[in-house]
Amino acid sequence: MNTESQQQRAIRAFQEFITTPLETLLQRHINSKSESAALALFHEIAANVPAYKTFLAQHNINPASIQTFEDFQKLPLITKENYISRHPLTDLCHYGLQACDMIAASSGSTGKPTFWTRFFTDELQIAIRFEQIFNDSFQADSKSTLAVICFTLGTWVGGMFTTNCCRYLASKGYPITVITPGNNKEEILRVVQELGSAFEQVVLLGYPPFLKDVIDTGIARGVEWQQYQVKLVMAGEVFSEEWRSLVGERIGSQNPCYDSASLYGTADAGVLANETPLSICIRRFLAENPDAAKALFGESRLPTLLQYDPISRFFEVENGTLFFTGDNGIPLVRYNILDTGGIISYDAMLEFLAEWGFNPVEKLENQGGRGINQLPFVYVFGRSNFTVSYFGANIYPENVTVGLEQSVIKEWVTGKFVLQVKEDADKNRFLSVVVELAPQVEDSEEKTQAIANSILSQLKRLNSEFANYVPPEYQMPKVILTPLGDPEYFPVGVKHRYTRK
């Protein structure tokens, strides 16, 4: 692609972004069929992306034969293994590597990092997801806002991507000012205390456990978070509604549906979906009603519940596995990201909730009514390989997390733990939970037992497999408490894993 067309592409996309109201952008799917958009994107990629041309040829597929959505649904899934890692980076891109202006690296949950390309216009698509949160949840269209980027900076995708998207919102007219301390806790605390009072609100953007650590450290040092009207944007992992309430309480949050939001973000394709006030309202109801949650999701654990724009990212699901189609620096067709979850239409969700006597739209309208958009829902449990199996029951980190978020216990711990199934000397299996203590908290037998009892109580309440499959004499977890930053289980500066096989 020559420089002239690059310029025109950038100018056209930026003009459309800054002049089109958010409401119009979020209603595109009503007037355009998302299935048709996915099919059109397939043909564009099949014609212009060398790696995908090769992929189709290897599967003996003539792109011209894919004419209907039913044809589209028969296309083979692509993955990192069968597609991304088998082709040169330039062959994976629209018009080659030179048509992209940014390269980022994924953190590589399977080991080796992967490089992902993008162009300015790809970021503008994702900026709409941030605009939803800043506009609908935080009212940042009318409130001066300091956006503090707490994601890791450098080649990793989160920090730079998030920074750019927030700056685009400022270009659109939002009174947002961005600062980038990255994951430097001392610098974050300094920034908030020295600059926060000059703004009507402060938004911290980062990974949930890291933001909690920043907040807890600030409290220990006398930071009065509530004076800064703090809001949170998070990504990277599932957290419970108890966790949201706990952290919200510590920053002085008055309204859980509007004071935080989580992103379903990936290095592969930016932000795929985002929490909205509506999805949070629904999730909090489901957290209080486990039977309704199990009826809706088919499992006892509570996934992240988000809404998505099917024109931007088109989701499909088969056998509990999510895959999507979307344009990006490396465009992806029916890409299997290895996440488990599902999709629910807007109407189907409200009909289901009505059967359980709950009307989230009415509840939100009583709180001002922002954030009610008729977008479909996607729910995400995360990678299926993060569970452990115990007596045939799948034990999820999310279940243990709730046990650590109960009253009193939440003051003792950081929220980090490592869940394992081990064997004793007689080869009897037991559930091991190594828990990281909060700063200045001492280990004691009383704390160990209280934490074990709390985890057990929540496992039995939330996980019907555990309650029914595991014999009572094997249900009590063996808890070990370690100091902050234990090098074996909680090394500083390393991405934490909540389970070990």
Side-chain angles (χ1 to χ4, degrees):
M1 177 174 282
N2 61 40
T3 305
E4 177 67 24
S5 56
Q6 286 275 73
Q7 287 180 349
Q8 293 306 314
R9 187 157 63 112
I11 291 169
R12 184 173 62 253
F14 193 51
Q15 186 171 33
E16 181 182 344
F17 172 74
I18 62 175
T19 59
T20 308
L22 176 63
E23 186 178 359
T24 302
L25 293 169
L26 297 182
Q27 291 178 347
R28 292 181 301 177
H29 69 289
I30 296 173
N31 301 318
S32 304
K33 286 195 68 174
S34 53
E35 292 90 347
S36 301
L39 188 59
L41 181 60
F42 159 77
H43 283 291
E44 199 274 326
I45 293 169
N48 294 306
V49 177
Y52 197 62
K53 287 183 185 180
T54 302
F55 179 80
L56 292 175
Q58 289 169 342
H59 287 83
N60 298 313
I61 295 170
N62 178 359
S65 69
I66 309 300
Q67 293 297 319
T68 66
F69 182 61
E70 288 69 28
D71 297 333
F72 177 87
Q73 290 178 299
K74 295 172 186 172
L75 289 167
L77 302 182
I78 61 174
T79 64
K80 275 188 185 177
E81 288 67 33
N82 75 5
Y83 182 66
I84 301 298
S85 62
R86 294 191 180 186
H87 298 276
L89 189 58
T90 191
D91 287 353
L92 293 163
C93 302
H94 274 304
Y95 313 109
L97 198 54
Q98 292 71 31
C100 299
D101 62 9
M102 190 84 181
I103 298 176
S106 65
S107 57
S109 60
T110 55
K112 184 183 176 185
T114 303
F115 290 114
W116 300 95
T117 62
R118 64 182 186 268
F119 183 57
F120 168 70
T121 54
D122 302 313
E123 293 181 335
L124 291 177
Q125 288 188 72
I126 306 307
I128 299 169
R129 308 283 73 80
F130 285 89
E131 185 176 6
Q132 268 187 273
I133 293 171
F134 276 82
N135 185 86
D136 291 353
S137 297
F138 305 159
Q139 299 184 35
D141 54 328
S142 60
K143 292 182 179 180
S144 62
T145 302
L146 180 66
V148 185
I149 310 301
C150 307
F151 289 110
T152 308
L153 299 170
T155 57
W156 309 116
V157 71
M160 295 298 293
F161 214 133
T162 302
T163 300
N164 291 346
C165 288
C166 290
R167 293 189 73 189
Y168 301 148
L169 296 187
S171 297
K172 191 167 182 174
Y174 287 83
I176 294 172
T177 303
V178 183
I179 191 164
T180 55
N183 62 344
N184 183 329
K185 185 163 62 172
E186 296 299 325
E187 188 68 359
I188 294 165
L189 292 170
R190 186 177 75 85
V191 161
V192 171
Q193 289 176 282
E194 292 190 18
L195 298 175
S197 57
F199 297 83
E200 291 175 84
Q201 61 184 354
V202 172
V203 178
L204 303 180
L205 302 97
Y207 296 113
F210 179 71
L211 292 184
K212 180 178 182 294
D213 184 30
V214 169
I215 291 160
D216 290 347
T217 301
I219 291 171
R221 297 185 189 178
V223 176
E224 296 179 4
W225 290 107
Q226 59 274 14
Q227 71 173 298
Y228 302 113
Q229 298 296 310
V230 175
K231 308 290 188 288
L232 305 176
V233 175
M234 296 164 287
E237 60 186 69
V238 179
F239 53 81
S240 69
E241 288 306 315
E242 287 91 345
W243 187 94
R244 193 194 308 268
S245 296
L246 164 66
V247 176
E249 179 185 310
R250 292 182 182 177
I251 59 174
S253 166
Q254 299 297 312
N255 194 330
C257 294
Y258 287 93
D259 290 344
S260 68
S262 188
L263 303 166
Y264 179 19
T266 70
D268 317 51
V271 179
L272 304 177
N274 54 280
E275 282 192 324
T276 62
L278 182 61
S279 75
I280 295 170
C281 182
I282 292 168
R283 191 173 189 257
R284 291 180 74 79
F285 168 78
L286 295 169
E288 294 292 325
N289 295 272
D291 291 343
K294 186 162 188 180
L296 183 62
F297 303 124
E299 295 199 28
S300 56
R301 55 179 174 153
L302 195 63
T304 301
L305 179 65
L306 318 102
Q307 289 182 279
Y308 69 99
D309 176 359
I311 299 294
S312 174
R313 297 292 182 263
F314 181 77
F315 278 102
E316 299 173 81
V317 62
E318 281 181 14
N319 300 319
T321 298
L322 288 167
F323 42 95
F324 66 88
T325 297
D327 200 3
N328 208 40
I330 296 177
L332 300 167
V333 178
R334 307 196 85 218
Y335 181 65
N336 184 357
I337 200 171
L338 304 179
D339 278 338
T340 55
I343 52 180
I344 305 169
S345 73
Y346 179 86
D347 289 340
M349 176 66 84
L350 293 192
E351 287 171 14
F352 171 85
L353 294 170
E355 291 171 7
W356 288 83
F358 182 61
N359 186 339
V361 172
E362 185 178 284
K363 184 165 185 175
L364 285 184
E365 283 174 343
N366 292 333
Q367 299 173 29
R370 281 201 182 208
I372 303 171
N373 293 297
Q374 294 186 23
L375 293 164
F377 293 85
V378 59
Y379 58 91
V380 188
F381 289 113
R383 304 289 162 89
S384 54
N385 59 352
F386 289 169
T387 63
V388 299
S389 181
Y390 187 53
F391 288 90
N394 285 322
I395 311 296
Y396 307 103
E398 300 94 314
N399 299 155
V400 176
T401 295
V402 177
L404 298 179
E405 291 164 352
Q406 301 305 305
S407 181
V408 182
I409 289 167
K410 63 189 178 184
E411 309 299 335
W412 301 339
V413 301
T414 64
K416 288 184 183 177
F417 60 89
V418 174
L419 175 65
Q420 291 174 278
V421 174
K422 291 186 171 183
E423 291 183 346
D424 62 19
D426 290 327
K427 301 296 183 184
N428 293 316
R429 306 189 89 198
F430 65 91
L431 199 61
S432 165
V433 187
V434 181
V435 178
E436 185 181 48
L437 289 168
Q440 281 92 50
V441 175
E442 297 289 327
D443 182 4
S444 74
E445 182 58 38
E446 177 192 8
K447 291 189 182 77
T448 300
Q449 196 56 53
I451 289 170
N453 287 333
S454 182
I455 291 172
L456 175 62
S457 173
Q458 297 305 321
L459 277 170
K460 290 165 73 173
R461 182 177 78 88
L462 295 169
N463 191 322
S464 57
E465 280 189 0
F466 176 88
N468 290 287
Y469 293 4
V470 182
E473 62 269 28
Y474 288 96
Q475 288 186 350
M476 180 64 77
K478 181 177 180 180
V479 170
I480 298 172
L481 305 181
T482 74
L484 187 74
D486 178 82
E488 182 181 355
Y489 286 98
F490 309 104
V492 176
V494 176
K495 189 171 183 179
H496 183 61
R497 299 279 180 243
Y498 287 90
T499 58
R500 292 186 185 178
K501 301 297 184 185

